[in-house]
C-alpha cells in the first residue's frame, strides 16, 4: 500500500508513546492510504490504526462511530436513490450497532431494490468482517446519525470519541468529544491532477491538540505528580536558621536521604511549603526556635499537612521509615 504522508504504522506507535509531551504548536496527525486496492481492506487498516493509537494512549474508554457522509444527501443527491426510499432510512437514524444493523438494512424491502444501496451496505458488511479479524469490533459502532461536514468524502466515514466517565468526588466532569476522524475520499486527489486521473484514497486524522487538552484536564484533576526525586525539604519557620538548616541537611545526606533546601538565607515559610507542593516533595523537616529548644524536628506531610515532633536523634530513622512505606 502507498501511504500519503511521512509516517508509517511504526511511526504512529511511537507518536502514541510521545503524545504526553507538551506540543510546540496546535497540530493534527494525518495518515492516508492511496491507490487501487480491493474494497474495504485499507479502510479496515485505518480503523485499526485509530484503535491502536487510542488504546496505547490510555485516555479512557472510547468508541469509533462509522457511517456514510450525510446519509440522506448521499442517497438522494449522489447515488440517485428516490427520496421516498431514502425516507425509510429515517427509522434507522437513531439506531446504532454492529454488523447486525447492516444486515437489518440489507433486508429492508425498499433498500433492497436499489443496487447502489445494496453495494454500499455490502461494503460495510465486508468491512465489519475485516474488523472482526482485527479484533476491534467491540469499539466500532455503525451509527447512521454520524455526519462529516466536508464535501470531499465519498464513502465510509468514521469518528472516534472518548466516552464520558463519572467524575470522582471533588472533580469536575472532564470534557469529552471527537479525538480522531476520517473516511474515504476517492475524488479529491484527481481534482489536482492535470489529467484528472482518479486516485482512490482513505485516511484518518488524529486530533493531537484535542488530546493534549484532555490530558491537561486530567492532570489538573489528579494529584500533583512528583517531578523531583527529593524526599524531604529542610525548612525553617523563622529567620536566621540557615546554619541549623545546613547542619540538618548534611546529616540527612550522610544517611543517604535525598534532601534539599532553598538557597536563601531567610526564605519565607510559606514559600518553602509552596515549593514542596509544586515539585511534589512529600515531606518537610522544619526547624525553628521552639524545635531547637525542645531538641526536636517537626516533620510535616505535604499531602495531609499533618505535623509531628520527632526527637532529633530519631529524625533519620523516621524519614527512612516513611519513605519505605510510600
Amino acid at each position: 500500500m502507498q501511504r500519503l504522508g511521512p509516517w508509517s504504522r511504526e511511526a504512529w506507535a511511537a507518536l502514541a508513546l510521545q503524545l504526553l509531551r507538551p506540543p510546540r504548536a496546535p497540530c493534527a496527525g494525518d495518515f492516508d492510504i492511496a491507490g487501487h486496492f480491493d474494497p474495504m481492506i485499507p479502510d479496515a487498516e485505518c480503523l485499526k490504526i485509530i484503535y491502536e493509537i487510542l488504546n496505547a494512549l490510555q485516555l479512557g474508554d472510547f468508541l469509533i462511530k462509522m457511517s456514510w457522509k450525510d446519509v440522506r444527501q448521499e442517497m438522494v443527491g449522489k447515488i440517485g436513490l428516490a427520496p421516498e426510499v431514502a425516507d425509510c432510512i429515517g427509522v434507522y437514524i437513531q439506531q446504532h450497532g454492529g454488523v447486525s444493523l447492516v444486515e437489518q438494512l440489507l433486508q429492508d424491502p425498499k433498500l433492497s431494490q436499489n443496487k447502489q444501496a445494496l453495494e454500499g451496505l455490502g461494503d460495510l458488511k465486508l468491512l465489519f468482517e475485516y474488523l472482526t479479524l482485527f479484533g476491534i469490533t467491540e469499539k466500532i459502532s455503525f451509527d447512521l446519525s454520524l455526519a462529516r461536514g466536508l464535501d470531499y468524502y465519498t464513502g465510509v466515514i468514521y469518528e472516534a470519541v472518548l466516552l464520558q466517565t463519572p467524575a470522582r468526588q471533588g472533580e469536575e466532569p472532564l470534557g469529552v468529544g471527537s479525538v480522531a476522524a476520517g473516511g474515504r475520499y476517492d475524488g479529491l486527489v484527481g481534482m489536482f491532477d492535470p489529467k484528472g486521473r482518479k486516485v482512490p484514497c482513505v485516511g484518518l486524522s488524529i486530533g493531537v491538540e484535542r488530546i493534549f487538552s484532555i490530558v491537561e484536564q486530567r492532570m489538573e484533576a489528579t494529584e500533583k505528580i512528583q517531578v523531583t526525586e527529593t524526599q524531604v525539604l529542610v525548612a525553617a519557620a523563622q529567620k536566621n536558621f540557615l546554619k541549623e538548616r545546613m547542619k540538618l541537611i548534611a546529616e540527612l545526606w550522610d544517611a543517604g536521604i535525598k534532601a534539599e533546601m532553598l538557597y536563601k538565607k531567610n526564605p519565607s515559610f510559606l514559600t518553602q511549603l509552596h515549593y514542596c507542593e509544586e515539585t511534589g516533595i512529600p515531606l518537610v523537616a522544619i526547624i525553628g526556635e521552639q524545635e531547637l529548644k525542645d531538641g526536636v524536628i517537626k516533620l510535616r506531610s505535604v499531602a495531609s499537612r499533618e505535623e509531628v515532633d520527632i526527637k532529633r536523634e530519631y529524625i533519620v530513622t523516621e524519614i527512612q521509615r516513611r519513605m519505605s512505606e510510600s
Side-chain angles (χ1 to χ4, degrees), residues 28 194 214:
I214 293 169

Side-chain angles (χ1 to χ4, degrees), residues 36 39 58-59 69 82-83 85 88 115 142 150 167 170 172 182 200 206 220 227 234-235 242 262 276 308:
H36 293 271
Q58 299 181 347
L59 296 173
K69 179 188 178 294
V85 178
C88 76
K115 180 181 178 181
F142 179 43
L150 299 176
E172 293 294 327
I206 300 294
E220 291 173 358
V227 296
V234 176
L242 175 61
L262 298 190
C276 291
V308 292

Side-chain angles (χ1 to χ4, degrees), residues 273-290:
L273 295 181
H274 282 171
Y275 178 75
C276 291
E277 292 176 351
E278 291 172 358
T279 58
I281 298 175
L283 296 173
V284 188
I286 304 167
I287 189 167
E289 293 179 359
Q290 190 62 45

Side-chain angles (χ1 to χ4, degrees), residues 77-89:
K78 295 191 177 180
I79 66 173
L81 191 62
E84 61 273 14
V85 178
D87 285 340
C88 76
I89 270 287

Side-chain angles (χ1 to χ4, degrees), residues 249-267:
I249 200 170
E251 184 179 340
L252 299 181
W253 284 341
D254 290 343
I257 294 174
K258 297 175 182 179
E260 66 176 285
M261 65 180 191
L262 298 190
Y263 298 135
K264 292 185 177 181
K265 288 184 177 180
N266 299 305

Side-chain angles (χ1 to χ4, degrees), residues 97-113:
V99 67
S100 60
L101 180 56
V102 177
E103 292 173 343
Q104 184 179 355
L105 290 171
L106 280 168
Q107 295 172 6
D108 184 281
K110 294 184 178 179
L111 287 178
S112 62
Q113 298 176 13

Side-chain angles (χ1 to χ4, degrees), residues 12-312:
W12 275 109
L15 169 68
L17 297 177
Q18 296 295 325
L19 270 177
L20 296 184
R21 296 183 178 180
R24 295 182 178 180
C27 56
D30 297 326
F31 179 96
D32 301 270
I33 301 174
H36 293 271
F37 306 105
D38 288 339
M40 298 295 107
I41 298 176
D43 306 69
E45 182 176 359
C46 285
L47 290 164
K48 174 67 170 174
I49 290 172
I50 293 177
Y51 173 90
E52 289 177 349
I53 291 173
L54 296 182
N55 198 51
L57 288 173
Q58 299 181 347
L59 296 173
D61 199 12
F62 63 90
L63 186 67
I64 304 173
K65 299 179 180 181
M66 184 175 65
S67 184
W68 292 290
K69 179 188 178 294
D70 193 344
V71 178
R72 181 179 172 86
Q73 180 183 350
E74 287 290 318
M75 289 187 168
V76 178
K78 295 191 177 180
I79 66 173
L81 191 62
E84 61 273 14
V85 178
D87 285 340
C88 76
I89 270 287
V91 299
Y92 298 110
I93 289 295
Q94 300 305 320
Q95 298 185 33
H96 53 83
V99 67
S100 60
L101 180 56
V102 177
E103 292 173 343
Q104 184 179 355
L105 290 171
L106 280 168
Q107 295 172 6
D108 184 281
K110 294 184 178 179
L111 287 178
S112 62
Q113 298 176 13
N114 185 275
K115 180 181 178 181
Q116 290 90 344
L118 287 177
E119 289 178 352
L121 291 169
D123 281 344
L124 288 173
K125 185 178 180 180
L126 179 61
L127 178 58
F128 264 107
E129 291 180 11
Y130 295 152
L131 298 178
T132 299
L133 295 174
F134 282 156
I136 65 172
T137 52
E138 79 280 1
K139 295 294 185 182
I140 304 293
S141 175
F142 179 43
D143 189 338
L144 286 170
S145 66
L146 177 65
R148 302 290 295 160
L150 299 176
D151 290 334
Y152 56 72
Y153 286 116
T154 58
V156 174
I157 57 173
Y158 34 83
E159 180 178 85
V161 297
L162 295 185
L163 302 180
Q164 178 73 62
T165 55
R168 292 180 294 182
Q169 185 175 4
E171 293 182 0
E172 293 294 327
L174 295 174
V176 295
S178 174
V179 291
R184 178 158 289 280
Y185 54 101
D186 290 342
L188 183 61
V189 175
M191 294 171 57
F192 300 96
D193 188 335
K195 296 183 179 180
R197 288 170 295 190
K198 185 177 180 180
V199 181
C201 295
V202 64
L204 63 96
S205 178
I206 300 294
V208 177
E209 185 181 9
R210 172 68 173 166
I211 290 174
F212 280 124
S213 176
I214 293 169
V215 171
E216 288 175 355
Q217 282 183 292
R218 297 192 172 179
M219 290 181 66
E220 291 173 358
T222 58
E223 294 181 354
K224 285 193 174 291
I225 299 174
Q226 185 171 352
V227 296
T228 175
E229 294 185 356
T230 302
Q231 298 169 322
V232 57
L233 179 78
V234 176
Q238 293 96 24
K239 294 182 178 181
N240 302 319
F241 273 83
L242 175 61
K243 292 182 180 180
E244 295 299 329
R245 285 192 291 145
M246 296 181 74
K247 289 179 185 177
L248 177 56
I249 200 170
E251 184 179 340
L252 299 181
W253 284 341
D254 290 343
I257 294 174
K258 297 175 182 179
E260 66 176 285
M261 65 180 191
L262 298 190
Y263 298 135
K264 292 185 177 181
K265 288 184 177 180
N266 299 305
S268 74
F269 187 55
L270 189 60
T271 297
Q272 294 170 92
L273 295 181
H274 282 171
Y275 178 75
C276 291
E277 292 176 351
E278 291 172 358
T279 58
I281 298 175
L283 296 173
V284 188
I286 304 167
I287 189 167
E289 293 179 359
Q290 190 62 45
E291 288 77 20
L292 191 60
K293 179 180 179 181
D294 296 340
V296 300
I297 300 295
K298 192 179 297 294
L299 194 60
R300 177 186 175 103
S301 168
V302 177
S304 67
R305 301 185 180 182
E306 179 185 2
E307 296 180 349
V308 292
D309 289 339
I310 307 296
K311 287 289 187 181
R312 175 66 179 257

